[in-house]
Amino acid sequence: MGRQVVKSFATYGEDAIFEGILSRLEWVTGQRIEMQTFIEIGGFHPIIDSNTYHLYKERGWAGSVFEPNTVHNYYFETDRPRDKFYNLAVSKMPGEAEFLIFSDGDSSNTINANFAEEKQKAQRTPIARKQKVEVITLNQVFELHREVFGNANPYLLSIDAEGEDLAIITGCNFNEYRPKFIMIEDRPGLSYFPNLGMIRPALAERNYHPIASSILTTIYIDYLSKESEDYDKMGRF
C-alpha cells in the first residue's frame, strides 16, 4: 500500500485513521468501497471536529446526523445538504431530557448530568443555559436512517455523546442492527468521562472488536462481517 496524506477534520485524526482502514480493505479486495452511508450521533458541527466530514467531502458519502443543539441547524443544512439532520438526543430510553449547554461552541454539551457536573469541576466551566430536547434510542435512529437511505445499517456508526455513549450502546438491539464499523469514545483516564471503561466489554459481547484507536476514540469492526475477514487477511496494523 502506498502512503497517502489525508486532511483530518476530526478532533484527533479519527477520520484519517478510518480512511486508512478503508484504503487497506480496498487494497486487500482490489475493489473500491463505493457510496456508503454513516450515522453520526453527537454531530456538533458539520466540519469542525467532525468524524464524518471527510467521508462526505472526499468519498461522496452521506448519512444521518443527530445533534440536539438547534444553533447548528443552519450550518448542517448549508454545508452538508446530502445529509439528513435531526435535532434529537440519543440514549438508552426514549423520552425528554434537559440539554446542558456550556456554550454553543463547546463540543461537550450534554444530556448527562453527571458528565456535566464532572466537567464543571475539572474545567471550571459553568453551564450557560438549558433546553428541553427529545430523546430517542439507537434502534429508532437506525429506523430513521432506513426511511431516508433505504437500509437501516450504515457502513459507519460514529458516537460522541458526552457521557451517554454506554447508554446508547446498551439500549440497542445489535442482533437486528449491525453497522460494519463503530467509532466511539471509550478511552478511560479522564474523571469526567464516566463509564468509558465499560464500553469495550459491552461491544465485545456484541461481537465488535477494536482495530484502531486515537487518544480518546476507538474504531471497532463487526467481527461477523466480511469486512472483518478481509481486514485480517494482511494481519493487524
Side-chain angles (χ1 to χ4, degrees):
M1 289 184 292
R3 293 188 177 186
Q4 64 182 91
V5 177
V6 177
K7 180 179 179 179
S8 174
F9 300 92
T11 307
Y12 293 111
E14 291 87 349
D15 52 352
I17 295 171
F18 188 63
E19 175 62 35
I21 292 169
L22 295 179
S23 297
R24 176 192 181 88
L25 286 170
E26 290 174 336
W27 189 87
V28 169
T29 63
Q31 297 178 342
R32 173 79 173 172
I33 299 173
E34 301 288 353
M35 300 307 293
Q36 301 291 335
T37 65
F38 52 78
I39 291 175
E40 184 164 22
I41 296 173
F44 176 55
H45 189 277
I47 300 173
I48 300 169
D49 292 336
S50 172
N51 289 343
T52 60
Y53 184 62
H54 169 81
L55 297 173
Y56 183 96
K57 180 175 184 289
E58 301 298 335
R59 285 187 170 261
W61 295 14
S64 304
V65 181
F66 295 79
E67 168 56 48
N69 196 340
T70 57
V71 170
H72 297 296
N73 291 20
Y74 169 80
Y75 301 108
F76 272 96
E77 292 168 0
T78 301
D79 294 329
R80 292 171 58 162
R82 296 196 310 275
D83 287 346
K84 178 62 177 178
F85 180 75
Y86 298 89
N87 264 138
L88 297 169
V90 184
S91 189
K92 186 173 184 177
M93 300 294 293
E96 189 177 69
E98 198 167 53
F99 187 45
L100 308 173
I101 301 172
F102 298 100
S103 75
D104 290 326
D106 195 319
S107 60
S108 295
N109 300 328
T110 182
I111 63 171
N112 188 298
N114 292 330
F115 179 95
E117 182 179 357
E118 291 299 321
K119 176 180 166 67
Q120 288 180 89
K121 291 177 182 177
Q123 298 184 355
R124 298 185 177 90
T125 305
I127 294 172
R129 71 179 194 277
K130 304 175 183 179
Q131 68 182 51
K132 293 292 184 181
V133 295
E134 182 182 352
V135 181
I136 64 173
T137 68
L138 187 51
N139 292 339
Q140 292 172 294
V141 164
F142 285 124
E143 287 305 318
L144 288 174
H145 189 75
R146 186 202 302 273
E147 289 177 8
V148 176
F149 294 98
N151 186 342
N153 295 320
Y155 204 78
L156 171 68
L157 168 63
S158 172
I159 303 176
D160 184 0
E162 313 307 319
E164 284 297 294
D165 310 73
L166 179 63
I168 291 170
I169 289 297
T170 56
C172 180
N173 178 6
F174 280 97
N175 291 322
E176 182 172 357
Y177 305 108
R178 295 199 66 82
K180 303 296 185 184
F181 294 91
I182 297 176
M183 184 184 294
I184 186 170
E185 285 195 354
D186 70 344
R187 311 290 284 179
L190 298 178
S191 61
Y192 56 89
F193 276 30
N195 299 326
L196 290 190
M198 300 170 65
I199 290 175
R200 183 164 295 197
L203 285 173
E205 290 176 3
R206 293 156 175 82
N207 283 303
Y208 280 89
H209 291 196
I211 56 172
S213 296
S214 69
I215 294 174
L216 295 177
T217 301
T218 299
I219 300 172
Y220 294 80
I221 194 168
D222 177 4
Y223 187 69
L224 306 178
S225 68
K226 183 179 182 300
E227 280 76 6
S228 179
E229 179 182 336
D230 290 336
Y231 183 85
D232 277 338
K233 284 180 180 177
M234 296 251 331
R236 303 287 181 178
F237 283 120

